[in-house]
Amino acid sequence: MTERVETRVVGARLPFVDGVEKATGATQFAADLRLPGMLTGMALRSPHPHARILRVDASKAEHLPGVHAVLSRENTPAARFGINHKDETAFCREKVRYIGDEVAAVAAVDEDTAREALSLIQVEYEPLPAVTDPFAALSRGAPLVHEAIPGNIASQFHVARGEVDAAFEAADARFEDEFHTHLAHQAYIEPTGCAAEWRPGDEITVWGCLQSVFVIRTFMLSPVMGIAPEKFRVIQTKPGGAFGGKLDVKAALLAAMLSRAAGKPVSFLLSLGEDLISMRPRMPVHFRLQSAFREDGKLLAKRVEIVAENGAYSSLSPAIMSSVALRTDNLYRTPAVDIDARLVYTNVCPSGQMRGFGNVQATFAWESHLDNVAAGLGMDPLELRLRNYVEKGDVTLHGWKIASCGVADAARYAAGAIGWAEKRKRGGRGRGVGMASTIHVSGNKGFAVELGPDDTEPSSGIVRIKEDGKVEIWTGESDLGQGSASVMAYIAAEELGLPVEDFDVPPTDTGCMPFGFGAFASRITLIGGNAVKIAAADARQALLAAAGEVLEAAPEQLAVEGREIAVKGFPGRRTTVKEVVQAAGGLIQGRGTWLAGGEVLDKKKYGNPSTTYSFATHAAEVEVDLETGIVTVLRVTAGHDPGRVINRLGSEGQVEGGAVQAMSFCLMEGLSPRDGRIRGANFHDYLIATSLDAPPVEHQFFETIDPHGPYGAKGLAETAINPTAAAIANAIFHATGARIRTLPFTPERVLEAIEAAKSEGGVK
C-alpha cells in the first residue's frame, strides 16, 4: 500500500480499549495475583561489587518453620543463560560480580518469615579488587570480571566503509568531540514481579509483566531448568510500565525454580530498591567523534570510537552497542565511516535495553556534534541537516533500505512551530532553541536469529467472533501500556467493519495464543498489526460466508452495517452478527501470520535489519539560569513520520510521553554508581519528571503511508524519545554558548560549561 485509503476507525482519536478498566482501578497487576497456598519468594543479594564465595551455609534457614525452599549454588544447576552471551547463572557460583547479584533465594509462608530465612543464610566472602570504570577495566592488569574473558571485553567490532582517510584529506573542515552518557533506570511505576506454579510432570505456569511471554521460555527458563520450552505456560499480567526493562526478567526464573523446589505456587516481587540496583538500566556510552565536511555542509566521512559499559553480565548489550554504533549513519547520507566499538565488563549492575535501544545515547552524541559542526561552518543547524538527510529510495552506507521518509517535513514543522528563524537570530542571554532528528527501526531481524524459531521474525493473530457478537483478538504481542492492544482492536475493527467498542484484547498467554516475539524494537504496530489485519480479513470472509447461509445470499452481496449484516439493495433482508455466529455453532474465527521483511546483518554489520524505518525531529526551547545553572524546558515541538497513524490519541500520548521522558533523562535522572554501589536506590533520590515538570509538547504527524505497514503504519514508541535530549543540549548551547558533553545536565555541569565557554570567549 502506498496510497492513503479512507478509513472509519484507523486514524481516529479514540480511547484505549482497556482505558476504563485502568482508570477505575479494576486492573489486576502481578502483585495482585493470589493463588491457593502461595508462598513469598525473596533473594539474598551480594553486598560486594566483587568477591569470591568461599562458603554458603543455608542449613539454619532450611530448618526455620514456614520455610519451604532455599536455593543457592549448592542445589541448583550451573547452566548459563543470556540472549547475546550466555554469561549468567541463576545463582552466583564461584564469585559475585556486582552489588545486588543473586546469591540465594527462599520461599516461605509470608514476607517476615522469608526475610528471617535470608538473615540465617551464612555466606563467607573473600572480597576482590573491583573494577567499576570501563577505561580502568580496559587497562593492562585490571581485575577480570569473568576469568575466562581476557581484557574484560564483552564484545567488540570494527567497521570501515568507504574512503575515510581520503575524505578527511579532501575535506574543507574537520571536527572532533567527546560525549558521555549515564546509567539511568526505566523508572516504571510497577516494580518487577512474577509468580509461578509448578505441577507434577514439570508443568510450570508463570505470570508476570513481561515484554515477551514466548521468548523468555527459550533463552532463560528452559535452558536453566532443563525443561522443554513448551512445558512452560507464560501469561502476561497487565503492565505497570516496562520501557524496555522487562524483556529478560530473572524474577520469572527464580519464581519458577522456587515453585518447583517447594511444590507450591510462589510470588517473587522485587522491592523498588532491588529493582533499581538489579534490573538492567540504560547503558552508559562514551563517544569520540570525528567528522569531515565540505564548506557547503555536505558530510564526507566520520570516525567513531565507542566504549560502552556492560556491567557484570551481557544479555542484549552487544546488540545495543551495535545500535549505538550504526544508527545515526543511516539518518544522513554518509559516504564513509570508520567505527571502533568496545563493550566492557565492570563490577556494576548489568546495563541493558531501555526505550530507544541505544539510539538515545547515539542521537545525543551525533546530533550535539552536528550543531558544533554547524557553528564551525557558520551554517544554520536546520539547513545543515536538510542538506544531508536520507530520502525515500535510498540505500544507506550500511545497507538500510529507506521505503518511506518524512524527516525533512518533520524538521521543517518542528522548526516552524517553535519560531526557529526569529529565535535563532536573538538567542543568548540564557534563552535558546535547538533541534535534533532521529531514525528508528520497526522490528529488528537480528532478534529473530537470537530468539525466534527461525530467522523469519513471524507474528500471528487470531480474531474470534463469539456467540454474543463480541470480538476477541488473540495475539502473541504484549501490550506494556503503550496501547498496542488498542492498535490491534482498531485494525481488526476497520477490517471487519464492526463497532470498535465490541473488541477485547486479552493479555498474551502461551497456553492458547499464537506466537509473537513481543514488545521491543518498535515492532508491534507493523508486524503484529499486519498479522491481525490478515486474521481480521479471514474472519470477515468466514462471517460473510456464514451470513450468506442465513440470508440465502452470496457473500459478495452482503454488507456489514454496525452489528448487523444486510443484503445490498434489500434493506429488509438483514440479520445480526450475533445470530450469524450462533447459527454457525457459536464461534467464527480467522487466522493470520505475517513475516517481517529485512535481513540479518552479515559479519561486517552490513544489511537491512528492519522492514522499514520511522523518523522524527524534535525542537526545544529552553531558559537557562546563568547564576544557578538550572535549565527549564519551555516548549517542545515534534514532527513525526509514523507512516500512518492508527490511533491518533495514543500516538499523541506516545510523542508527549517520549519527549517528557527524554527531558527527565537528561535533566533529572541518574543512578550514579560509586565504587559499584548505586546511590539513592529509591524515588526520593532518583528523581523523575512529573506532570508539574512537563513542558507543552506540540506535534504533527507526516503520514508517509509506508508500503509495508498495515494501512501504511510504522513504529512510533521509541522514535518519540530519541531526539529530545540532543535538542535540549543544542538549545542550551544556543542559549549560553556552552556545550555540555556529559549527561545528565545537572546545574553544576551547566555552570562548569558556562565558565569554560567564558574562558574560551564563546559565552552568549
Side-chain angles (χ1 to χ4, degrees):
M1 176 185 296
T2 56
E3 299 295 328
R4 183 185 183 88
V5 297
E6 292 303 315
T7 51
R8 176 180 56 91
V9 178
V10 165
R13 295 184 86 252
L14 296 170
F16 282 5
V17 293
D18 53 357
V20 172
E21 173 191 325
K22 289 180 178 176
T24 57
T27 298
Q28 297 288 301
F29 297 96
D32 299 316
L33 188 65
R34 298 287 183 272
L35 297 171
M38 178 176 277
L39 303 174
T40 297
M42 300 183 77
L44 180 68
R45 300 180 181 278
S46 167
H48 301 287
H50 197 198
R52 184 167 291 110
I53 300 173
L54 302 179
R55 184 175 66 93
V56 178
D57 182 355
S59 56
K60 291 183 179 177
E62 290 167 348
H63 290 92
L64 181 70
V67 172
H68 287 256
V70 181
L71 299 179
S72 70
R73 69 177 186 179
E74 305 298 327
N75 57 357
T76 57
R80 295 180 181 274
F81 69 93
I83 298 176
N84 291 148
H85 290 341
K86 292 177 174 51
D87 58 8
E88 188 171 2
T89 53
F91 296 99
C92 300
R93 312 302 295 185
E94 72 281 5
K95 64 180 188 177
V96 296
R97 294 183 172 86
Y98 73 96
I99 295 174
D101 218 351
E102 291 87 356
V103 177
V106 303
V109 291
D110 55 34
E111 184 176 329
D112 288 343
T113 307
R115 288 189 186 282
E116 185 177 354
L118 291 181
S119 72
L120 295 174
I121 299 174
Q122 296 178 351
V123 183
E124 187 177 346
Y125 297 101
E126 177 191 352
L128 299 170
V131 58
T132 57
D133 176 89
F135 296 98
L138 289 170
S139 64
R140 185 184 298 272
L144 294 178
V145 178
H146 295 265
E147 274 67 18
I149 301 175
N152 289 314
I153 299 290
S155 178
Q156 63 180 336
F157 62 82
H158 178 245
V159 171
R161 304 196 210 287
E163 301 297 327
V164 176
D165 291 342
F168 270 83
E169 230 9 77
D172 295 318
R174 290 165 284 276
F175 302 90
E176 185 169 346
D177 268 314
E178 287 189 12
F179 295 96
H180 309 273
T181 72
H182 63 309
L183 195 68
H185 194 267
Q186 292 82 358
Y188 30 72
I189 300 302
E190 176 199 24
T192 303
C194 291
E197 182 177 27
W198 173 88
R199 291 182 301 281
D202 267 349
E203 303 275 350
I204 300 180
T205 302
V206 176
W207 295 262
C209 176
L210 302 166
Q211 291 185 214
S212 178
V213 296
F214 282 92
V215 302
I216 196 170
R217 303 184 306 174
T218 52
F219 78 81
M220 183 184 288
L221 299 176
S222 173
V224 175
M225 296 187 69
I227 299 173
E230 57 271 18
K231 291 274 194 175
F232 293 92
R233 178 183 181 185
V234 184
I235 303 171
Q236 193 205 23
T237 54
K238 287 283 187 176
F243 305 113
K246 294 178 179 174
L247 181 62
D248 41 0
V249 175
K250 198 171 181 180
L253 174 63
L254 300 185
M257 294 178 77
L258 286 168
S259 180
R260 182 164 68 167
K264 289 176 172 289
V266 173
S267 172
F268 194 96
L269 306 174
L270 270 60
S271 68
L272 177 60
E274 287 181 292
D275 208 305
L276 287 167
I277 67 168
S278 67
M279 292 299 286
R280 299 178 183 273
R282 188 186 295 282
M283 172 194 290
V285 186
H286 307 274
F287 298 86
R288 184 166 181 263
L289 302 175
Q290 294 177 296
S291 63
F293 281 80
R294 283 193 335 217
E295 62 180 358
D296 64 358
K298 292 296 289 184
L299 172 62
L300 299 178
K302 299 166 66 175
R303 293 193 181 107
V304 182
E305 293 179 36
I306 290 171
V307 172
E309 298 187 35
N310 185 71
Y313 304 108
S314 294
S315 190
L316 265 173
S317 291
I320 298 168
M321 185 177 71
S322 180
S323 172
V324 169
L326 303 178
R327 193 63 55 93
T328 61
D329 300 343
N330 302 285
L331 175 59
Y332 299 99
R333 288 173 169 168
T334 308
V337 68
D338 188 290
I339 302 169
D340 186 58
R342 290 176 291 176
L343 179 66
V344 183
Y345 281 114
T346 62
N347 292 118
V348 180
C349 69
S351 65
Q353 60 280 1
M354 183 177 169
R355 189 179 186 182
F357 203 75
N359 207 348
V360 170
Q361 300 96 308
T363 299
F364 162 67
W366 177 247
E367 292 291 309
S368 296
H369 178 74
L370 269 189
D371 268 37
N372 287 351
V373 171
L377 292 173
M379 289 185 66
D380 185 299
L382 169 62
E383 183 60 30
L384 177 68
R385 288 174 170 83
L386 290 172
R387 291 187 186 186
N388 288 287
Y389 284 137
V390 293
E391 297 179 3
K392 177 182 175 181
D394 283 359
V395 177
T396 72
L397 180 76
H398 297 306
W400 293 26
K401 298 173 182 175
I402 310 300
S404 58
C405 179
V407 67
D409 289 338
R412 291 188 184 97
Y413 161 76
I418 211 159
W420 182 265
E422 179 188 351
K423 291 175 181 173
R424 288 296 298 186
K425 290 176 185 173
R426 56 183 169 91
R429 299 179 299 282
R431 193 79 174 249
V433 294
M435 69 161 50
S437 299
T438 190
I439 180 174
H440 206 84
V441 296
S442 292
N444 191 326
K445 212 53 177 297
F447 290 126
V449 175
E450 299 282 359
L451 299 170
D454 49 39
D455 63 358
T456 60
E457 194 179 356
S459 183
S460 299
I462 300 174
V463 173
R464 310 170 78 242
I465 310 173
K466 301 184 295 184
E467 60 182 350
D468 60 359
K470 306 293 186 185
V471 184
E472 199 169 67
I473 299 172
W474 285 4
T475 169
E477 311 295 359
S478 304
D479 187 327
L480 298 171
Q482 80 278 43
S484 67
S486 298
V487 166
M488 300 300 176
Y490 303 149
I491 289 173
E494 186 71 54
E495 203 68 23
L496 271 166
L498 297 174
V500 69
E501 54 267 31
D502 289 353
F503 284 70
D504 180 40
V505 187
T508 48
D509 180 346
T510 63
C512 58
M513 294 185 179
F515 180 83
F517 270 102
F520 51 85
S522 295
R523 57 182 297 283
I524 289 185
T525 294
L526 178 90
I527 301 173
N530 268 319
V532 166
K533 187 171 185 289
I534 295 168
D538 189 40
R540 178 186 172 91
Q541 190 174 13
L543 176 67
L544 293 180
E549 295 289 326
V550 175
L551 294 169
E552 297 182 344
E556 57 271 20
Q557 293 177 295
L558 303 177
V560 178
E561 299 178 355
R563 295 183 174 90
E564 295 183 328
I565 299 173
V567 181
K568 297 173 185 174
F570 298 91
R573 292 180 62 190
R574 60 180 58 235
T575 185
T576 65
V577 170
K578 180 178 175 180
E579 289 168 340
V580 172
V581 178
Q582 289 173 345
L587 180 68
I588 291 175
Q589 63 182 8
R591 296 174 178 271
T593 296
W594 197 77
L595 306 181
E599 305 159 350
V600 178
L601 303 188
D602 66 19
K603 291 182 179 178
K604 295 183 178 180
K605 304 274 181 193
Y606 186 88
N608 183 41
S610 176
T611 309
T612 190
Y613 304 91
S614 300
F615 298 87
T617 297
H618 288 192
E621 182 174 11
V622 304
E623 186 171 72
V624 182
D625 188 319
L626 300 177
E627 298 297 323
T628 66
I630 293 174
V631 177
T632 303
V633 179
L634 303 174
R635 291 173 70 205
V636 173
T637 58
H640 274 260
D641 163 21
R644 174 80 185 272
V645 172
I646 299 294
N647 175 15
R648 192 160 298 275
L649 189 61
S651 298
E652 291 168 353
Q654 286 280 15
V655 173
E656 293 168 14
V660 173
Q661 191 174 27
M663 183 203 73
S664 181
F665 163 73
C666 72
L667 293 180
M668 305 171 72
E669 298 184 33
L671 285 169
S672 304
R674 176 175 292 176
D675 299 328
R677 185 176 301 279
I678 302 296
R679 292 181 292 170
N682 55 66
F683 278 160
H684 294 294
D685 298 313
Y686 189 91
L687 298 180
I688 58 174
T690 70
S691 58
L692 297 177
D693 304 300
V697 180
E698 302 162 34
H699 37 68
Q700 186 162 321
F701 297 108
F702 296 87
E703 298 182 293
T704 50
I705 313 300
D706 189 84
H708 306 290
Y711 299 98
K714 302 186 282 191
L716 173 62
E718 292 172 285
T719 316
I721 195 174
N722 293 334
T724 310
I728 292 171
N730 290 334
I732 295 171
F733 181 56
H734 182 230
T736 65
R739 170 58 66 191
I740 305 174
R741 293 181 166 81
T742 301
L743 285 167
F745 308 144
T746 60
E748 294 81 7
R749 286 204 177 109
V750 173
L751 288 177
E752 287 174 6
I754 290 173
E755 289 302 316
K758 281 181 181 175
S759 67
E760 296 169 2
V763 74
K764 294 183 179 178

